[in-house]
Each structure stands twice: as structure tokens, then as C-alpha cells.
Amino acid sequence: MPFSKLGLSPQIQSALKKSSYITPTPIQEKVIPLVLKYNDIMAMAQTGSGKSASFVLPILELWSKSVGEGKAKIKALVLTPTRELTLQVADAFSTFGADLSRKPKVVSIIGGESIGEQIYAIQQGCDILVATSGRLLDVLSKKQTNLSHLEFFVLDEADKMLNLGFAEELNAILEAIPQKRQNLLFSATYPQKILDIASKITQNPIQVTLEQEVPTVESVIQRATLVNRENRGPLLRHLLDNEKLEQVLVFMANKRATDNIAAKFKKYGYKAESFHGDLLQDERTLTLDEFKAKKIRILFATDIAARGLDISDVSCVINFDLPRSPTDYIHRIGRTARAGKSGMAISFISHEDKAHFSIIEKRCKVNLKREQVDGFELSGEAPIQVKGSEPVKGKGKSKKDKAREKASKEASRE
Ligand code: AMP
């Protein structure tokens, strides 16, 4: 079914065309007509399913039909779990609203940037507000933002908000918005806590699930390459040169490693950058924009930094360091092969990683052939774990020392 059958205006359709959105994804096909009929929605949708456009497009459509002359009033509020997702969603509203006769004024509210500027931006006129909940509450506490005209309330990736002490924040936000509104809830999973939130915010919601949705990772070609740890860098360069890999996301175990290796690769002449939680918001945004614009070819990232990112043009994920858990493995390789594109994931496996990778395979129900690349074959034996001599009582590390060591290790990991 083409977008033209979904009840969207020609202006929105023309903006879709410019972004090369030709056919709706299954979630879009289901959700868009339901939102246009003013239903509350509870959708089960993963990142990569195209869920953002499934609420952005119909909200733009309804908003553009009802928007009057005069100063903009905040009509839609979207809450997301991360700064990056907030910016992506805000960007989608601006992109798909670009051809409307009145373009929506979209403001994003995120931590890490000046709150004064964000409040000023709202006061200059705002139709659509996209925010992370913590910063939104800071903004609301300044008592200069009026949400009383709100008509649409969206929670995007709701299950990712749960760990952030979200319930109280949500209550405070609900107090600031009108009771009568259209509510759209998107979550990849529906544990009890999300069901509780759903019953609190939605009214007779229509539940949308995609029965035959193929998990995104099934379209990822997965490879496992044996290599000695010290040869991983040279092997990566070899693959980049010989397999002509473009837009590569390389996962590393910690922040420092991403910085070091990105610097090395730059020296070798590759367009490489690191991406981790220590970067300032501006740097993160710039790096992502450059990666999307293909000005950066290789992004060295940590798990935490890469979570929730919309970098759908990743053609290859490299597990330079293996993920800690099978869930992280799925999460990482799901960064590629999004929105119907094909993708590849290559895991580097050294002697030390063999057992751990087998566990990941078992839990993910895959069994990958071990490949070796000429010139980079795995050599030597697995290092034997030497047991230290018995600790001498009184000479071992104190509890405090151990706690300090653990904390500093965790801090360097993020
Ligand atoms: P999302 O699940 O909303 O984060 O979308 C994942 C990626 O798919 C984003 O990069 C979107 O720009 C892209 N996308 C979503 N819907 C479509 C579509 N109908 N056609 C082409 N690309 C799409």
C-alpha cells in the first residue's frame, strides 16, 4: 500500500517523497489511519520499525487541519527516553511538515543544553514540543510554559523510560496537561509497569501489534571471525579496505578505547570518530550528523552511547570487543539492517572470547561458522589462567580498596 492511501495530505506526501519514503512500514500502515480517526493507541513497536513516522505524520496531518492564525500554541507533546531520540523525532516533525502551508514550530527540550535558550525558543512560538521528561519538568518549574492547549500526548519507547525514575516525573507532567487529549503510547515491550502507565494515560486505546513482524536481526548477515586480540585493529583496516565497508559502527568495551582507536584510525587516514557518553551534546549531535551525511565512515562507540540511536544507514556493525550479554549482542547487531535495508555484523573472536561467544550464540539461537581472514589467522594457544598464590592475611586489598577499584573500573567503562 502506498502512502497516498493512508489519508495524508499532498503536502505531507511530497515531503515524504523528498525523504525517499515510498512505502509505509507495517506499523505505519496500521497506526496512521487509526490516529487520523482520533483513537488512543497502545502500539508494540521496536526501534527500526518506522514507529516515529507512524505518530509524526498523522499528528502533523491533524494539526495542520486545525491550526489557526495567530501565535503558536503547544498542541503536541512527545516524551522520549533520550536526548538523541528527542532530536530525531523533532527533526522528523520539521522534515515532514516542511511543505505544509503553515510549517510547524518544533522545539526540542533536552538536558545538556541551555535551559534559558529552550524556554526562549518556546516563547518565540511552539506548536510541537519534543522532550525528555527530566528537562521538561525543569522547564515547567520556571512557570513560563503553557501546556493547556495540548491535544496530542505521545510516549515514545516507553519501556526505556522505566529505569529513569519516570513514574513520578510522568505524574507531574500529567498534572500540567489537559485531561482531554489524544494519547499515543509506543513501547517495544509491555511489562506490568507499562500497562499501569497505559491505563493511567490512555482511554480505550486500540492495541496495535505486528503479528508477523520479522525480528530486525533476522535480516542481518552475522559473521564470526577468529583473530588474535592484538591483530583486531589491522584486521579491521583490512576489512575496511578489502570489503569496501561503508558506514561502519564499531563497538568497544570502554570510552577510552574508542578515543584511542579513533585517533589511530584517523592517523591511518580513515574518516573515524569516537562516540561515547563523555562527549558534550553538541559534539554528539555533530558526530551523528556527520556519520549520517557519510562524512564519517567509522564510528567507534560504547554500548550505552549507541543505545536508542537512529543511525539507520549503518551497513556494518563490528563487535571489536564482544558485548557482555546476549541482549547487548542483539541490541548491537540491530543497529544495522534497519527499515528493510540489508546489513552485516562481524564479531571478532580471540582465544579469550571463544567460550563467551558460544554462550551468546546459544542464547541467541544462532550457530555461526568461524571464519579466518588470510594473514590474520588466530594463532597460539589460549593463555592459561594462572592462579595466584594464596593471599597473605593482612596483605590483601582492603574492602575499601576493592570498592574503589571497582568504582574506577565502572567509571572508565561508563
Ligand atoms: P524508527 O523506527 O522510527 O526509528 O525508524 C527507523 C528508520 O527507518 C529511520 O531512519 C527512518 O527514517 C526510516 N524509515 C521509517 N519509515 C520509513 C519508510 N516508510 N520508508 C523509508 N524509511 C523509513
Side-chain angles (χ1 to χ4, degrees), residues 23 32 46 232 330:
T23 328
I32 292 172
Q46 330 272 341
R232 290 175 300 171
I330 296 291

Side-chain angles (χ1 to χ4, degrees), residues 342-363:
S342 64
M344 187 171 12
I346 307 176
S347 299
F348 288 173
I349 298 166
S350 64
H351 287 298
E352 296 88 333
D353 301 317
K354 280 181 181 168
H356 181 50
F357 193 68
S358 297
I359 295 172
I360 290 178
E361 280 183 298
K362 208 164 151 199
R363 295 266 300 278

Side-chain angles (χ1 to χ4, degrees), residues 122-135:
I122 295 173
Q123 285 172 343
Q124 290 304 100
C126 168
D127 299 297
I128 294 165
L129 197 58
V130 189
T132 50
S133 53
R135 177 51 77 95

Side-chain angles (χ1 to χ4, degrees), residues 3 19-25 28 46-53 85 88 96 157 310-313 338-339 341:
F3 273 109
S19 294
S20 310
Y21 276 43
I22 311 298
T23 328
T25 64
Q28 290 161 3
Q46 330 272 341
T47 23
S49 60
K51 64 177 171 49
S52 311
L85 189 57
Q88 281 157 27
F96 297 128
E157 302 200 357
D310 172 26
I311 26 184
S312 60
D313 277 335
R338 300 178 81 179
K341 292 177 186 150

Side-chain angles (χ1 to χ4, degrees), residues 21-95:
Y21 276 43
I22 311 298
T23 328
T25 64
I27 187 93
Q28 290 161 3
E29 209 174 297
K30 280 198 172 178
V31 170
I32 292 172
L34 292 171
V35 179
L36 290 177
K37 287 194 189 115
Y38 305 100
N39 292 292
D40 275 15
I41 302 286
M42 241 173 99
M44 188 178 277
Q46 330 272 341
T47 23
S49 60
K51 64 177 171 49
S52 311
S54 77
F55 62 82
V56 167
L57 299 173
I59 287 179
L60 281 173
E61 180 71 35
L62 295 177
W63 169 82
S64 67
K65 294 252 160 64
S66 71
V67 67
E69 296 295 309
K71 195 166 187 294
K73 297 186 178 76
I74 302 171
K75 291 288 178 68
L77 170 63
V78 181
L79 294 185
T80 91
T82 62
R83 296 183 279 190
E84 276 80 19
L85 189 57
T86 297
L87 297 177
Q88 281 157 27
V89 169
D91 192 44
F93 275 113
S94 303
T95 305

